[in-house]
């Protein structure tokens, strides 16, 4: 493993009851790299990104972000779960965008973006609000600053969710099928925002079924199935000349 990598995942296992959903996952991610996770439903993609953010606990292995263990500390060769305050502090460097938008319904768009930096980081409210306005401009929604989530389309809500994650100045962004809950006509506007983030050098791990998007933005594509990494390589190689039969079968079924 490269000690300079922003993300290092080493032999990670995860069980839900008797179901072995991650079966020894290892990978790393360099700064500024975009990795897309593809594969059938139930292959472990969402579980993996949730483990990176310690929204799910791992059963063995190690996950490092920015050189720090995520969620745990070492004690005599074993993992001991960290205190909530320490986990929360390290999680501030990791932005996550979910399938569902998870916006606070009683707050406006600009308030949804501002609340984290003010409440969690203790930053000045006026300074944060100015940054939130810039982020809304960046995702094309400055005219919706005072709109509530119920007044926004699904695509607009997801763009606010992306801006909210960016407001914490994360070093890593995780996306868990961010367009899967959207109407087809709004998918493009969210992918456009993500495309611009990728072009701007944001380090990203993206769980997606949007193969055209993955082919366009990914530096590396990781094919998962049954809790394993089946194959990984450049987008050109995976989509053009996959080496594994399982990858070929999956892509033939959806392309």
């Amino acid at each position: 493993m490269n000690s300079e990598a922003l993300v290092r995942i080493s032999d990670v296992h995860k069980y839900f009851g008797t179901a072995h959903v991650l079966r020894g996952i290892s990978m790393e991610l360099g700064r500024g790299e975009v990795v897309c996770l593809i594969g059938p439903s139930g292959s472990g993609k969402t579980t993996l990104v949730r483990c990176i953010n310690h929204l799910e606990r791992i059963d063995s292995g190690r996950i490092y972000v920015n050189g720090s263990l995520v969620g745990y500390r070492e004690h005599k060769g074993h993992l001991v779960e960290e205190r909530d305050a320490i986990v929360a502090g390290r999680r501030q460097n990791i932005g996550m965008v979910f399938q569902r938008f998870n916006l606070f319904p009683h707050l406006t768009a600009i308030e949804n973006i501002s609340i984290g930096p003010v409440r969690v980081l203790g930053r000045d409210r006026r300074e944060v609000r100015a940054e939130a306005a810039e982020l809304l401009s960046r995702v094309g929604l400055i005219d919706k600053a005072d709109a509530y989530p119920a007044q926004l389309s699904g695509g607009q809500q997801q763009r606010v969710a992306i801006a909210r994650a960016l407001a914490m100045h994360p070093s890593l962004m995780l996306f868990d099928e961010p367009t899967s809950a959207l109407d087809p006509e709004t998918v493009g506007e969210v992918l456009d925002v993500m495309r611009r983030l990728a072009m701007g050098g944001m380090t990203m791990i993206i769980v997606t079924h949007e193969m055209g998007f993955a082919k366009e933005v990914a530096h590396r594509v990781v094919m998962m199935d049954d809790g394993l990494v089946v194959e990984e390589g450049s987008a050109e190689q995976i989509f053009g000349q996959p080496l594994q039969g399982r990858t070929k079968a999956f892509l033939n079924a959806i392309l």
Side-chain angles (χ1 to χ4, degrees), residues 29-37 172-173 175 194-195 197-206 213-214 216-222 233-235:
L29 189 72
R31 295 180 188 277
E33 189 175 10
V34 177
V35 170
C36 285
L37 305 182
L172 170 68
M173 285 285 286
F175 293 86
M194 295 171 63
R195 192 176 288 111
L197 286 177
M199 292 173 63
M202 175 61 72
T203 310
M204 301 160 69
I205 299 177
I206 306 167
F213 174 75
E216 180 183 353
V217 306
H219 297 105
R220 189 152 40 98
V221 176
V222 176
S234 68

Side-chain angles (χ1 to χ4, degrees), residues 44-115:
K45 306 182 302 296
T46 289
T47 299
L48 178 59
V49 294
R50 289 177 64 86
C51 287
I52 293 171
N53 209 15
H54 200 57
L55 295 175
E56 298 287 354
R57 293 168 172 82
I58 62 175
D59 291 298
S60 64
R62 304 288 188 273
I63 299 176
Y64 300 86
V65 175
N66 277 323
S68 297
L69 266 175
V70 175
Y72 299 93
R73 56 186 169 86
E74 297 271 6
H75 181 69
K76 297 181 179 178
H78 298 283
L79 291 180
V80 177
E81 191 159 13
E82 278 287 14
R83 292 179 289 114
D84 288 346
I86 293 176
V87 172
R90 291 178 180 167
R91 191 181 278 148
Q92 291 171 19
N93 291 317
I94 307 172
M96 186 154 183
V97 178
F98 301 86
Q99 295 177 26
R100 295 289 175 178
F101 325 120
N102 295 338
L103 298 179
F104 294 110
H106 63 290
L107 299 180
T108 64
I110 200 165
E111 289 169 344
N112 263 284
I113 296 168
S114 302
I115 189 169

Side-chain angles (χ1 to χ4, degrees), residues 19 21 37 67 83 95 128 133 135 140 173 197 215 229-230 236 240 247 253:
V21 295
L37 305 182
R83 292 179 289 114
V128 167
L135 286 168
M173 285 285 286
L197 286 177
K215 189 183 300 186
V229 171
V230 175
E236 182 181 27
T247 309

